[in-house]
Amino acid sequence: MAGVWQITNLERISEHDGLSDVVSNIHWFVSDIDADGWFAYSFGNAILDIDSIDPDSFVNFSTLSEADVITWLKNWMGQDGVDRIEQELQIGIANRDHKERRMGVPW
């Protein structure tokens, strides 16, 4: 199985090198669940190197999609990093660490 990747928040710089609303930090969450309800998750953040942004390929914040940012995140992690997290999810599920959890706040 493959984890479900989500972007939980984006931090951005108002202006950097003539660009506006430059994403500088990606907060992410990934989870997986098996058919019996055993669940594993991981989360973290990725601080981006905003000094290496190519102005010609810059994407305006208002037009970003979650898929765009997940691609950035996975590129930042590299395939080995993505694979490691996905493997850790499978180990957590195999160890039967957690049944499905619900997350959120009551307000």
Side-chain angles (χ1 to χ4, degrees), residues 8 25-29 42-46:
T8 58
N25 195 352
I26 302 169
H27 296 260
W28 56 270
F29 179 88
S42 184
F43 61 92
N45 69 301

Side-chain angles (χ1 to χ4, degrees), residues 22-81:
V22 178
V23 174
S24 60
N25 195 352
I26 302 169
H27 296 260
W28 56 270
F29 179 88
V30 60
S31 63
D32 204 351
I33 188 168
D34 73 4
D36 296 323
W38 293 101
F39 178 80
Y41 68 91
S42 184
F43 61 92
N45 69 301
I47 298 173
L48 304 177
D49 177 11
I50 62 173
D51 291 325
S52 66
I53 296 171
D54 177 3
D56 294 331
S57 63
F58 180 74
V59 181
N60 289 322
F61 180 79
S62 63
T63 63
L64 285 174
S65 69
E66 186 173 36
D68 291 334
V69 180
I70 290 171
T71 297
W72 291 356
L73 173 63
K74 288 182 174 183
N75 287 341
W76 180 88
M77 290 179 163
Q79 191 60 52
D80 288 343

